């Protein structure tokens, strides 16, 4: 049965999405209207990929959390479905927070999410709840909450206890849940179940012990290329060279899973995305065995200042195929994007010194690969590409080859708020050579360096008439360019 609150949200979104459709990005998920944050419930169901998201349809700022819903067959063309959850039960009256989903053997789709409940005396309880449905309508379970504060280890907080990620293997169902512990700060707890309804506490999968920030949110745990991988998003990170910056950070632990102790043993820890806007990623494994990640392409800091004149706030990244190579997490735009390339232009060995544009190389919805290498007669120190250029506005990616550093800079993109606009990060430059793949979709840019060893994302709210792209180098660079528009029309 649809509650009054859910019915209202569904009516509101249906009516308003139609009105604003042309303003939306072409192949990146937004709420269609209103506010979104974390991706939720990224899962396969009846042969299609479903994605839910933290959602407040009525405003472009965060509000009582609903779950919005889209699905896709190819990760590029997304179909809106009616909102799936509203905070309409006693145990989730203050929000249906993040969570995940799994297809049950009986053909139903199960959502596992965090219900938030504030009490009259100012306390708050976050518990894990389930809803079961058919891919369109979901019914909250009478068993809710299915994981509550009685199933916490000593020292675990009942206020910061959220974002369950469910998966199934031959032993049954498992869930990784984020928690704050007085002694260990951020930690990820493990729970098991035979039927995805009755759960028991298993142990601590990973804990910060004073490292990698305080609260850890939005865990995802999976096996890839022979390694155990844990992703989480952390509050109050400290600066660590060019790997982690202060504030919210997205952390990837790569290691070995100790099945006796239920513990992840780190071999390598790295940032997931080195750009300005990325948080709370979640993954799904496809039928053909690919591990695909999608993230909220936003930072909490910049989301709060808002973007005037747009009817939506928040978008997802392009879905990315993950691999572990040489001990590192590598990411690459989902291969289906290549089927949407149109109007290709390419150039080989263009000598770049002073600012230069190339015929046909412009636009705001595109997929462009640059291969840079030093000219034979002249070394170069810095290569620059400006995109979304028009009038005085532009955003810039620059490569300092000798240092092996890329700088992502939207200082001149027209963003009128005092948030972070520049990031620098290490990239694998070899003998001055580097590949950069740039994906743009109106209000965003995603950069993949090398073979995906580094990814960096940012939003940019430059007017869409700014479509220029130019290149320059201190010294001389030989540049190959392959550029396509992206279109989702058949
Ligand atoms: C992460 C987060 C989650 C929470 C959700 C609330 O961005 O804070 O921990 O479930 O957002 O919208």
């Amino acid at each position: 049965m649809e509650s009054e609150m859910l019915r209202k949200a569904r009516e509101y979104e249906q009516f308003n999405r139609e009105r604003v459709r042309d303003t939306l990005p072409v192949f990146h998920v937004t709420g269609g209207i209103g506010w979104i944050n974390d991706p939720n419930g990224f899962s396969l169901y009846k042969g299609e990929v479903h994605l839910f998201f933290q959602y407040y349809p009525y405003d472009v700022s965060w509000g009582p959390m609903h779950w919005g819903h889209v699905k896709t067959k190819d990760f590029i063309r997304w179909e809106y479905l009616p909102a799936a959850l509203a905070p309409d039960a006693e145990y989730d009256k203050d929000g249906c927070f993040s969570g995940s989903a799994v297809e049950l053997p009986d053909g139903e789709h199960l959502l596992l999410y965090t219900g938030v409940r504030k009490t009259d005396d100012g306390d708050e309880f976050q518990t894990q709840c389930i809803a079961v449905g058919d891919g369109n309508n979901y019914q909250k379970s009478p068993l809710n909450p299915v994981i509550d504060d009685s199933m916490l280890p000593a020292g675990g907080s009942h206020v910061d206890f959220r974002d369950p990620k469910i998966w199934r293997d031959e032993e049954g169902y498992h869930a990784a849940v984020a928690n704050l512990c007085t002694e260990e700060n951020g930690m990820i707890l493990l729970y098991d179940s035979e039927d995805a309804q009755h759960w028991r506490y298993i142990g601590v999968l990973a804990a910060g012990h004073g490292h990698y920030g305080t609260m850890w949110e939005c865990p995802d745990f999976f096996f890839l290329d022979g390694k155990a991988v844990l992703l989480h998003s952390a509050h109050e990170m400290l600066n660590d060279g060019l790997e982690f910056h202060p504030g919210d950070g997205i952390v990837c632990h790569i290691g070995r899973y100790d099945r006796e102790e239920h513990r992840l043993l780190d071999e390598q820890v790295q940032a997931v995305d080195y750009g300005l806007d990325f948080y709370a990623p979640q993954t799904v494994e496809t039928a053909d065995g690919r591990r695909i990640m999608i993230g909220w392409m936003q930072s909490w800091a910049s989301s709060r200042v808002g973007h005037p004149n747009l009817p939506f706030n928040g978008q997802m990244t392009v879905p990315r195929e993950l691999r572990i190579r040489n001990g590192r997490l590598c990411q690459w735009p989902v291969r289906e994007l290549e089927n949407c390339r149109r109007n290709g232009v390419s150039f080989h060995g263009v000598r770049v010194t002073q600012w230069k544009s190339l015929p046909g190389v412009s636009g705001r919805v595109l997929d462009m690969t640059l291969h840079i290498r030093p000219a034979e007669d002249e070394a170069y120190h810095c290569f620059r590409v400006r995109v979304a250029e028009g009038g005085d506005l532009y955003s810039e990616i620059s490569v300092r080859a000798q240092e092996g550093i890329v700088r992502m800079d939207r200082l001149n993109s027209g963003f009128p708020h005092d948030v972070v606009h520049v990031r620098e990060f290490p990239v694998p430059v070899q003998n001055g050579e580097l590949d950069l793949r740039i994906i743009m979709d109106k209000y965003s840019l995603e950069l993949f360096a090398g073979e995906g060893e580094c990814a960096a994302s940012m939003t940019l709210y430059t007017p869409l008439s700014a479509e220029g792209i130019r290149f320059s180098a201190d010294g001389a660079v030989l540049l190959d360019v392959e550029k396509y528009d992206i279109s989702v029309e058949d």
Side-chain angles (χ1 to χ4, degrees):
M1 259 282 292
E2 190 183 71
S3 70
E4 181 58 23
M5 195 186 271
L6 187 59
R7 192 183 59 74
K8 211 177 116 216
R10 287 174 161 196
E11 269 176 26
Y12 183 88
E13 63 187 9
Q14 201 186 2
F15 180 72
N16 287 287
R17 274 181 188 153
E18 202 47 47
R19 189 169 57 80
V20 305
R21 201 164 36 181
D22 290 348
T23 60
L24 303 179
V26 173
F27 57 101
H28 286 74
V29 173
T30 69
I33 189 80
W35 162 278
I36 68 168
N37 53 289
D38 316 350
N40 296 155
F42 198 24
S43 56
L44 280 187
Y45 180 63
K46 298 206 163 146
E48 294 181 306
V49 175
H50 286 248
L51 177 71
F52 303 79
F53 41 84
Q54 291 286 279
Y55 180 44
Y56 186 60
Y58 307 110
D59 201 349
V60 287
S61 49
W62 194 86
M65 278 294 109
H66 295 56
W67 274 35
H69 189 185
V70 288
K71 68 175 182 180
T72 184
K73 290 187 171 66
D74 64 1
F75 293 101
I76 304 297
R77 296 170 181 86
W78 298 88
E79 180 189 334
Y80 281 106
L81 295 169
L85 299 177
D88 51 15
E90 174 55 24
Y91 47 82
D92 64 18
K93 69 180 176 56
D94 294 295
C96 298
F97 274 20
S98 285
S100 51
V102 74
E103 180 165 4
L104 298 175
D106 68 3
E108 290 196 296
H109 199 200
L110 177 130
L111 315 182
L112 177 63
Y113 70 99
T114 299
V116 180
R117 177 173 64 91
K118 295 190 172 141
T119 59
D120 292 341
D121 57 7
D123 203 357
E124 178 175 322
F125 287 84
Q126 300 189 345
T127 56
Q128 319 319 317
C129 306
I130 54 181
V132 176
D134 62 0
N136 260 296
N137 296 302
Y138 294 83
Q139 204 60 49
K140 292 179 183 172
S141 168
L143 297 175
N144 283 341
V146 294
I147 302 177
D148 67 13
D149 57 317
S150 67
M151 300 158 80
L152 278 169
S157 158
H158 62 265
V159 182
D160 286 302
F161 181 31
R162 57 180 176 271
D163 309 339
K165 172 71 201 251
I166 189 170
W167 73 97
R168 189 166 118 209
D169 62 17
E170 46 300 330
E171 289 162 12
Y173 296 91
H174 311 272
V177 188
N179 189 228
L180 186 67
C181 174
T182 42
E183 281 163 31
E184 303 194 287
N185 302 319
M187 59 180 183
I188 305 301
L189 306 178
L190 273 184
Y191 294 83
D192 274 5
S193 171
E194 275 157 30
D195 59 4
Q197 317 215 18
H198 301 86
W199 292 86
R200 66 191 174 106
Y201 172 66
I202 298 297
V204 178
L205 173 68
H209 301 286
H211 298 289
Y212 309 114
T214 52
M215 176 62 188
W216 292 3
E217 310 183 308
C218 303
D220 196 339
F221 181 60
F222 51 88
F223 294 90
L224 183 64
D225 296 325
K227 296 289 178 191
V229 180
L230 171 68
L231 308 179
H232 64 83
S233 300
H235 290 170
E236 298 176 288
M237 296 274 291
L238 298 180
N239 199 57
D240 179 6
L242 293 180
E243 195 62 32
F244 293 110
H245 54 77
D248 289 347
I250 311 87
V251 185
C252 173
H253 302 251
I254 301 170
R256 202 167 60 73
Y257 181 54
D258 177 342
R259 285 180 193 276
E260 302 293 302
E261 300 291 325
H262 306 286
R263 205 126 186 144
L264 174 66
L265 307 170
D266 284 352
E267 290 166 358
Q268 165 81 22
V269 179
Q270 64 165 96
V272 177
D273 185 290
Y274 293 85
L276 292 156
D277 292 301
F278 187 88
Y279 202 67
Q282 197 172 86
T283 70
V284 65
E285 189 178 4
T286 57
D288 59 7
R290 288 178 288 162
R291 177 64 59 175
I292 313 278
M293 176 179 76
I294 195 165
W296 177 37
M297 192 160 34
Q298 191 64 270
S299 73
W300 277 107
S302 67
S303 73
R304 292 202 171 98
V305 295
H307 307 291
N309 308 327
L310 285 178
F312 68 91
N313 189 355
Q315 53 186 312
M316 299 301 170
T317 63
V318 73
R320 302 173 181 179
E321 298 184 12
L322 300 184
R323 299 309 300 255
I324 304 292
R325 274 200 307 269
N326 303 322
R328 271 193 77 78
L329 180 75
C330 296
Q331 5 185 343
W332 203 243
V334 75
R335 65 193 65 166
E336 285 84 347
L337 183 62
E338 288 158 38
N339 301 333
C340 302
R341 289 170 161 178
R342 307 279 184 274
N343 313 325
V345 285
S346 65
F347 296 87
H348 186 75
V350 177
R351 190 180 168 92
V352 174
T353 53
Q354 295 185 353
W355 286 110
K356 164 186 245 133
S357 56
L358 294 169
V361 178
S362 64
R364 288 285 288 270
V365 184
L366 55 83
D367 181 353
M368 177 169 73
T369 299
L370 308 178
H371 176 71
I372 59 174
R373 60 187 187 280
E376 273 137 35
D377 55 339
E378 196 180 342
Y380 77 99
H381 171 63
C382 186
F383 167 81
R384 298 187 175 86
V385 49
R386 285 187 180 169
V387 298
E389 191 176 34
D392 294 335
L393 302 180
Y394 61 86
S395 292
E396 188 171 281
I397 308 295
S398 49
V399 181
R400 301 207 297 276
Q402 278 112 28
E403 296 164 74
I405 287 176
V406 163
R407 175 183 166 100
M408 172 174 255
D409 169 348
R410 65 163 178 221
L411 279 169
N412 295 289
S413 68
F415 207 123
H417 296 285
D418 183 18
V419 292
V420 178
H421 295 301
V422 176
R423 288 253 191 262
E424 295 195 340
F425 47 93
V427 289
V429 183
Q430 271 177 356
N431 304 321
E433 293 200 37
L434 181 67
D435 283 319
L436 297 175
R437 184 166 173 199
I438 293 175
I439 309 291
M440 295 185 73
D441 188 3
K442 293 189 180 175
Y443 304 109
S444 66
L445 183 154
E446 291 164 87
L447 174 71
F448 300 86
E451 294 182 339
E453 290 90 346
C454 292
S457 314
M458 70 172 171
T459 54
L460 52 117
Y461 291 93
T462 319
L464 294 181
S465 55
E467 305 199 301
I469 297 179
R470 287 197 298 159
F471 311 95
S472 82
D474 295 349
V477 157
L478 294 182
L479 174 68
D480 302 339
V481 182
E482 197 181 319
K483 184 247 154 186
Y484 302 88
D485 298 325
I486 294 292
S487 168
V488 294
E489 310 290 322
D490 291 320

